[in-house]
Amino acid sequence: MARKPNPLLHDFLDQSIPLPSIDWETVPLTVNPMDVWAAYDEGIEGWVFVWFPIADPESGRSYGEFERAYLFNENLERILRAMNRWPLRGTAAQKKQAVAFALLHLFCEVNYLCTKV
């Protein structure tokens, strides 16, 4: 059974659409956006990014594959809402830019590099 990517990643995964330019002053020094954006796993439902937690950080309880995909989607939507970009709208390039920045923020959140929005 082939795993399907999260629908929010549709335009983000389109290689014909360029990634957004980065204002490096807004990205923590230890974060390489290209590494963050390239770290998804096609073998996992939702193509969840490998840096997204596999267990609850407080209890240590492991997430199942589909629970993890659900939590990834919920967090991505939460950040897009905070950015006033939910539901996704605009051109494919604008959608890709919004998701790219939301992914960077989610990465920073799960690695405790920024506050949760």
Side-chain angles (χ1 to χ4, degrees):
M1 176 170 88
R3 302 295 191 214
K4 295 180 182 176
N6 182 314
L8 292 176
L9 300 177
H10 177 74
D11 292 313
F12 178 78
L13 297 170
D14 186 339
Q15 298 295 321
S16 68
I17 303 170
L19 285 164
S21 58
I22 299 292
D23 180 357
W24 289 102
E25 293 178 4
T26 64
V27 179
L29 291 174
T30 58
V31 177
N32 180 340
M34 299 310 268
D35 291 343
V36 171
W37 293 331
Y40 57 89
D41 187 346
E42 296 175 22
I44 297 174
E45 185 63 29
W47 294 20
V48 175
F49 285 71
V50 297
W51 44 258
F52 192 76
I54 59 172
D56 184 300
E58 294 176 14
S59 70
R61 183 183 64 81
S62 294
Y63 296 135
E65 177 180 357
F66 294 98
E67 180 182 20
R68 188 168 173 244
Y70 174 82
L71 292 169
F72 173 76
N73 184 76
E74 287 295 306
N75 279 281
L76 197 55
E77 285 183 17
R78 174 182 53 79
I79 293 169
L80 288 166
R81 268 196 247 19
M83 294 170 53
N84 293 318
R85 292 303 315 263
W86 184 252
L88 279 175
R89 61 194 172 283
T91 66
Q94 290 169 328
K95 291 177 188 175
K96 184 169 186 166
Q97 178 178 0
V99 171
F101 288 123
L103 286 168
L104 281 176
H105 191 83
L106 182 55
F107 175 83
C108 289
E109 281 184 7
V110 301
N111 288 287
Y112 305 103
L113 299 171
C114 64
T115 56
K116 193 171 181 176
V117 293

